[in-house]
Amino acid sequence: MTTHRRPLPAQADVRAAVDSLIAETGRPPSVLALATRLGLANTTFRRNCPDICAELAEQASPPASARAANAFARATADNARLRRANRDLAEQLELATAVIQRLSIDNHQLREALHQAREVTALPRRR
């Protein structure tokens, strides 16, 4: 059984493919996109070009300080959103409590009126 091995691209070809993908998309390419562009399997490319894979991974992820700032900004925004939602829910709960109290009073008054109406003696109907 013979295997047909495709020669690995030169470093210059790989760098040219990276530049080409950046020009097309405007951002650093994924390792998979680069391997596909070069006609290699992802694992083959990762095994033979670990330095380029590391560079791409570094470019793809923002620095730790930026990640921390983004996380803090997200947490602050989430906190503000949750506070607004909590305030809205508290107002709705207060309104619902007032409505239940009013309905209880109305119910009590209607029951008293019904009870008093039953105490009225009904007159016999005339024929």
Side-chain angles (χ1 to χ4, degrees):
M1 175 193 307
T2 59
T3 58
H4 298 284
R5 289 194 176 190
R6 184 168 187 208
L8 293 175
Q11 286 285 343
D13 295 335
V14 173
R15 299 279 179 201
V18 169
D19 293 339
S20 171
L21 284 169
I22 289 174
E24 289 174 14
T25 62
R27 57 188 172 87
S30 67
V31 175
L32 179 60
L34 183 56
T36 303
R37 171 67 61 97
L38 295 169
L40 297 173
N42 188 26
T43 53
T44 302
F45 180 74
R46 286 182 181 275
R47 188 172 37 250
N48 291 292
C49 300
D51 52 335
I52 294 176
C53 292
E55 287 176 24
L56 291 176
E58 214 174 273
Q59 291 174 0
S61 65
S65 60
R67 283 192 306 259
N70 287 342
F72 180 75
R74 250 190 335 271
T76 303
D78 286 347
N79 194 16
R81 180 183 51 79
L82 290 171
R83 285 182 190 273
R84 281 191 304 274
N86 192 18
R87 189 172 34 254
D88 291 344
L89 290 172
E91 290 172 3
Q92 290 177 7
L93 180 62
E94 189 175 328
L95 180 63
T97 302
V99 168
I100 290 171
Q101 289 172 343
R102 180 64 197 165
L103 288 173
S104 295
I105 291 169
D106 289 349
N107 185 32
H108 179 69
Q109 290 173 348
L110 289 171
R111 285 183 182 272
E112 281 185 355
L114 178 64
H115 187 64
Q116 289 173 359
R118 286 186 178 169
E119 291 178 359
V120 174
T121 307
L123 297 175
R125 291 190 172 231
R126 293 187 193 180
R127 289 189 189 186

